[in-house]
């Protein structure tokens, strides 16, 4: 279930938005929600593409600096643990 949000629109903008919503077979609320969701998803996709590009461009530099050990300070082998059903 979504949260309710109130917005204020200029009369002309509201009328235009209602018209566009009606042409798409949506309520004004559905139209506005779709616009916001599309914008958020586009921003997320742009961020992920940028992050991917950055990682691809600097992989060699990271490997040279950090090497294979991604978590310095951790032991080489996992610690022995007691079985879950141990008393």
């Amino acid at each position: 279930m979504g949260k309710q949000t109130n917005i204020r629109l200029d009369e002309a903008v509201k009328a235009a938005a209602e018209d566009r919503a009606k042409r798409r077979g949506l309520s004004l609320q559905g139209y506005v929600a779709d616009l916001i969701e599309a914008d958020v998803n586009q921003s997320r996709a742009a961020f992920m593409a940028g992050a991917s590009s950055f990682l691809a461009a600097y992989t060699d530099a990271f490997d040279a600096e950090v090497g294979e050990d991604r978590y310095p300070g951790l032991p080489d082998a996992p610690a022995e643990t007691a079985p879950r059903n141990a008393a």
Side-chain angles (χ1 to χ4, degrees), residues 21-84:
K22 184 177 178 181
R23 284 188 271 152
R24 294 181 185 196
L26 298 170
S27 66
L28 179 59
Q29 177 182 340
Y31 176 66
V32 171
D34 283 356
L35 289 174
I36 293 170
E37 186 175 332
D39 184 61
V40 168
N41 288 338
Q42 183 180 14
S43 295
R44 183 178 296 130
F47 171 80
M48 294 304 291
S52 178
S53 176
F54 175 84
L55 289 174
Y58 291 98
T59 296
D60 292 339
F62 287 134
D63 283 346
E65 184 68 27
V66 180
E68 291 296 317
D69 185 5
R70 300 287 185 227
Y71 304 99
L74 289 180
D76 292 335
E80 292 289 327
T81 58
R84 288 183 182 234

